[in-house]
Amino acid sequence: MTIVFVGILAALSAAAAAGMRIALPLLAIGLFQSDLLWHNVPLLSKIHPQVLLGILTSWSLFELFGSKKLLGQRVNQLLQLILSPFVGGMMAIAATKISSAEFQPLWIVAMVGGLFAFVLKFVQVGWFFRLQGLPIWIIFLEDALCIFLVLFAFNAPEQGGLIAMFLLWFSVRSSGEWYRWYKGKKKTQQFL
């Protein structure tokens, strides 16, 4: 039972990393497993490792450097919003396999991980449009947190899962703030 719980926390931590970036956590998961590379990641295990390394490295560099400018943030937000459920599901399955948790069926893990990543990315996109761009310090914090969540998913899944649950709590609180902001904006427009 404990191994299953640790596997679930690892899956949540990995999915949370996919909710922040797409290519960076996939690149990290392959590089941290130097002997197996992407052997435990569904779909990516079918692609030649050298080709995958080139694609993920290029995309990660675009995520890291492109997100520092407004146009790059817009492109990143759109791509990440579309792909976050898929990558979140793949990361959750990979974390479950690597943690040796015997959890069946794996499609449930993929759905929960994908939804978790999508919710985190959706909230971030909402803040992006509300603020007309994210401040640079949030971008740097997000990059670092993404890497730490991947590390925690495999080395300290309890801590990574707790951070992921905190991010979910923050997302729920943020959506309430959006609603209050939207209602206040709507009332102001009615009076004008």
Side-chain angles (χ1 to χ4, degrees), residues 18-37:
M20 296 181 191
R21 295 282 182 256
I22 298 296
L24 191 60
L26 289 174
L27 180 64
I29 197 173
L31 295 178
F32 292 146
Q33 296 182 339
S34 58
D35 54 339
L36 297 174
L37 294 174

mmCIF file of all heavy atoms in Angstrom, residues 18-37:
data_model
loop_
_atom_site.group_PDB
_atom_site.id
_atom_site.type_symbol
_atom_site.label_atom_id
_atom_site.label_comp_id
_atom_site.label_asym_id
_atom_site.label_seq_id
_atom_site.Cartn_x
_atom_site.Cartn_y
_atom_site.Cartn_z
ATOM 1 N N ALA A 18 4.881 18.870 -15.741
ATOM 2 C CA ALA A 18 4.363 18.991 -17.109
ATOM 3 C C ALA A 18 3.320 20.095 -17.212
ATOM 4 O O ALA A 18 3.056 20.586 -18.305
ATOM 5 C CB ALA A 18 3.764 17.668 -17.568
ATOM 6 N N GLY A 19 2.740 20.489 -16.094
ATOM 7 C CA GLY A 19 1.797 21.593 -16.098
ATOM 8 C C GLY A 19 2.479 22.947 -16.180
ATOM 9 O O GLY A 19 1.821 23.966 -16.374
ATOM 10 N N MET A 20 3.794 22.960 -16.039
ATOM 11 C CA MET A 20 4.543 24.210 -16.127
ATOM 12 C C MET A 20 5.304 24.341 -17.435
ATOM 13 O O MET A 20 5.332 25.405 -18.032
ATOM 14 C CB MET A 20 5.516 24.304 -14.963
ATOM 15 C CG MET A 20 4.808 24.376 -13.668
ATOM 16 S SD MET A 20 5.978 24.520 -12.347
ATOM 17 C CE MET A 20 4.873 24.234 -11.004
ATOM 18 N N ARG A 21 5.935 23.280 -17.830
ATOM 19 C CA ARG A 21 6.681 23.235 -19.093
ATOM 20 C C ARG A 21 6.364 21.902 -19.761
ATOM 21 O O ARG A 21 5.926 20.965 -19.118
ATOM 22 C CB ARG A 21 8.197 23.323 -18.859
ATOM 23 C CG ARG A 21 8.647 24.636 -18.260
ATOM 24 C CD ARG A 21 8.679 25.712 -19.325
ATOM 25 N NE ARG A 21 9.150 26.965 -18.792
ATOM 26 C CZ ARG A 21 8.359 27.990 -18.513
ATOM 27 N NH1 ARG A 21 7.067 27.907 -18.664
ATOM 28 N NH2 ARG A 21 8.861 29.115 -18.066
ATOM 29 N N ILE A 22 6.646 21.793 -21.052
ATOM 30 C CA ILE A 22 6.370 20.567 -21.790
ATOM 31 C C ILE A 22 7.662 19.801 -22.073
ATOM 32 O O ILE A 22 7.821 18.656 -21.673
ATOM 33 C CB ILE A 22 5.636 20.869 -23.116
ATOM 34 C CG1 ILE A 22 4.288 21.522 -22.820
ATOM 35 C CG2 ILE A 22 5.451 19.617 -23.948
ATOM 36 C CD1 ILE A 22 3.315 20.670 -22.074
ATOM 37 N N ALA A 23 8.577 20.406 -22.778
ATOM 38 C CA ALA A 23 9.789 19.705 -23.199
ATOM 39 C C ALA A 23 10.808 19.578 -22.075
ATOM 40 O O ALA A 23 11.519 18.579 -21.995
ATOM 41 C CB ALA A 23 10.412 20.411 -24.390
ATOM 42 N N LEU A 24 10.895 20.561 -21.223
ATOM 43 C CA LEU A 24 11.900 20.557 -20.161
ATOM 44 C C LEU A 24 11.763 19.356 -19.221
ATOM 45 O O LEU A 24 12.756 18.675 -18.952
ATOM 46 C CB LEU A 24 11.850 21.879 -19.391
ATOM 47 C CG LEU A 24 12.981 22.149 -18.422
ATOM 48 C CD1 LEU A 24 14.316 22.161 -19.136
ATOM 49 C CD2 LEU A 24 12.748 23.480 -17.716
ATOM 50 N N PRO A 25 10.557 19.025 -18.715
ATOM 51 C CA PRO A 25 10.479 17.837 -17.863
ATOM 52 C C PRO A 25 10.729 16.535 -18.626
ATOM 53 O O PRO A 25 11.307 15.596 -18.065
ATOM 54 C CB PRO A 25 9.066 17.874 -17.289
ATOM 55 C CG PRO A 25 8.317 18.848 -18.073
ATOM 56 C CD PRO A 25 9.294 19.751 -18.729
ATOM 57 N N LEU A 26 10.328 16.474 -19.900
ATOM 58 C CA LEU A 26 10.609 15.273 -20.691
ATOM 59 C C LEU A 26 12.105 15.110 -20.919
ATOM 60 O O LEU A 26 12.632 13.993 -20.865
ATOM 61 C CB LEU A 26 9.872 15.332 -22.027
ATOM 62 C CG LEU A 26 8.356 15.163 -21.963
ATOM 63 C CD1 LEU A 26 7.740 15.400 -23.330
ATOM 64 C CD2 LEU A 26 7.979 13.800 -21.428
ATOM 65 N N LEU A 27 12.791 16.222 -21.170
ATOM 66 C CA LEU A 27 14.246 16.169 -21.321
ATOM 67 C C LEU A 27 14.903 15.759 -20.005
ATOM 68 O O LEU A 27 15.800 14.921 -19.980
ATOM 69 C CB LEU A 27 14.772 17.530 -21.785
ATOM 70 C CG LEU A 27 16.276 17.649 -21.991
ATOM 71 C CD1 LEU A 27 16.733 16.737 -23.122
ATOM 72 C CD2 LEU A 27 16.653 19.086 -22.278
ATOM 73 N N ALA A 28 14.427 16.325 -18.919
ATOM 74 C CA ALA A 28 15.002 16.009 -17.608
ATOM 75 C C ALA A 28 14.805 14.551 -17.241
ATOM 76 O O ALA A 28 15.714 13.907 -16.715
ATOM 77 C CB ALA A 28 14.384 16.914 -16.543
ATOM 78 N N ILE A 29 13.630 14.004 -17.535
ATOM 79 C CA ILE A 29 13.372 12.612 -17.176
ATOM 80 C C ILE A 29 14.293 11.674 -17.956
ATOM 81 O O ILE A 29 14.734 10.652 -17.433
ATOM 82 C CB ILE A 29 11.879 12.249 -17.381
ATOM 83 C CG1 ILE A 29 11.512 10.987 -16.635
ATOM 84 C CG2 ILE A 29 11.543 12.039 -18.817
ATOM 85 C CD1 ILE A 29 10.034 10.686 -16.660
ATOM 86 N N GLY A 30 14.607 12.025 -19.190
ATOM 87 C CA GLY A 30 15.525 11.198 -19.967
ATOM 88 C C GLY A 30 16.962 11.333 -19.506
ATOM 89 O O GLY A 30 17.696 10.349 -19.447
ATOM 90 N N LEU A 31 17.364 12.551 -19.170
ATOM 91 C CA LEU A 31 18.746 12.761 -18.753
ATOM 92 C C LEU A 31 19.030 12.227 -17.352
ATOM 93 O O LEU A 31 20.144 11.806 -17.063
ATOM 94 C CB LEU A 31 19.098 14.249 -18.835
ATOM 95 C CG LEU A 31 19.095 14.839 -20.248
ATOM 96 C CD1 LEU A 31 19.409 16.321 -20.193
ATOM 97 C CD2 LEU A 31 20.051 14.097 -21.158
ATOM 98 N N PHE A 32 18.032 12.221 -16.488
ATOM 99 C CA PHE A 32 18.240 11.703 -15.136
ATOM 100 C C PHE A 32 18.320 10.181 -15.124
ATOM 101 O O PHE A 32 18.844 9.602 -14.187
ATOM 102 C CB PHE A 32 17.139 12.166 -14.188
ATOM 103 C CG PHE A 32 17.175 13.644 -13.927
ATOM 104 C CD1 PHE A 32 16.015 14.347 -13.735
ATOM 105 C CD2 PHE A 32 18.366 14.343 -13.877
ATOM 106 C CE1 PHE A 32 16.030 15.705 -13.493
ATOM 107 C CE2 PHE A 32 18.403 15.700 -13.637
ATOM 108 C CZ PHE A 32 17.234 16.389 -13.448
ATOM 109 N N GLN A 33 17.798 9.546 -16.146
ATOM 110 C CA GLN A 33 17.910 8.097 -16.274
ATOM 111 C C GLN A 33 18.920 7.802 -17.364
ATOM 112 O O GLN A 33 18.569 7.359 -18.448
ATOM 113 C CB GLN A 33 16.575 7.484 -16.667
ATOM 114 C CG GLN A 33 15.501 7.633 -15.683
ATOM 115 C CD GLN A 33 14.255 6.934 -16.201
ATOM 116 O OE1 GLN A 33 14.095 6.699 -17.380
ATOM 117 N NE2 GLN A 33 13.399 6.586 -15.291
ATOM 118 N N SER A 34 20.158 8.027 -17.104
ATOM 119 C CA SER A 34 21.179 7.981 -18.150
ATOM 120 C C SER A 34 21.267 6.624 -18.847
ATOM 121 O O SER A 34 21.578 6.550 -20.018
ATOM 122 C CB SER A 34 22.538 8.358 -17.560
ATOM 123 O OG SER A 34 22.850 7.479 -16.500
ATOM 124 N N ASP A 35 20.971 5.532 -18.152
ATOM 125 C CA ASP A 35 21.088 4.228 -18.786
ATOM 126 C C ASP A 35 19.846 3.853 -19.600
ATOM 127 O O ASP A 35 19.945 3.198 -20.629
ATOM 128 C CB ASP A 35 21.375 3.155 -17.745
ATOM 129 C CG ASP A 35 20.363 3.158 -16.613
ATOM 130 O OD1 ASP A 35 19.700 4.189 -16.415
ATOM 131 O OD2 ASP A 35 20.244 2.126 -15.927
ATOM 132 N N LEU A 36 18.667 4.278 -19.179
ATOM 133 C CA LEU A 36 17.432 3.895 -19.861
ATOM 134 C C LEU A 36 16.865 4.999 -20.754
ATOM 135 O O LEU A 36 16.014 4.727 -21.593
ATOM 136 C CB LEU A 36 16.361 3.500 -18.837
ATOM 137 C CG LEU A 36 16.670 2.284 -17.985
ATOM 138 C CD1 LEU A 36 15.605 2.097 -16.928
ATOM 139 C CD2 LEU A 36 16.785 1.051 -18.846
ATOM 140 N N LEU A 37 17.299 6.219 -20.553
ATOM 141 C CA LEU A 37 16.767 7.380 -21.258
ATOM 142 C C LEU A 37 15.248 7.414 -21.159
ATOM 143 O O LEU A 37 14.726 7.446 -20.060
ATOM 144 C CB LEU A 37 17.266 7.413 -22.705
ATOM 145 C CG LEU A 37 18.766 7.625 -22.872
ATOM 146 C CD1 LEU A 37 19.160 7.487 -24.329
ATOM 147 C CD2 LEU A 37 19.205 8.957 -22.322
#
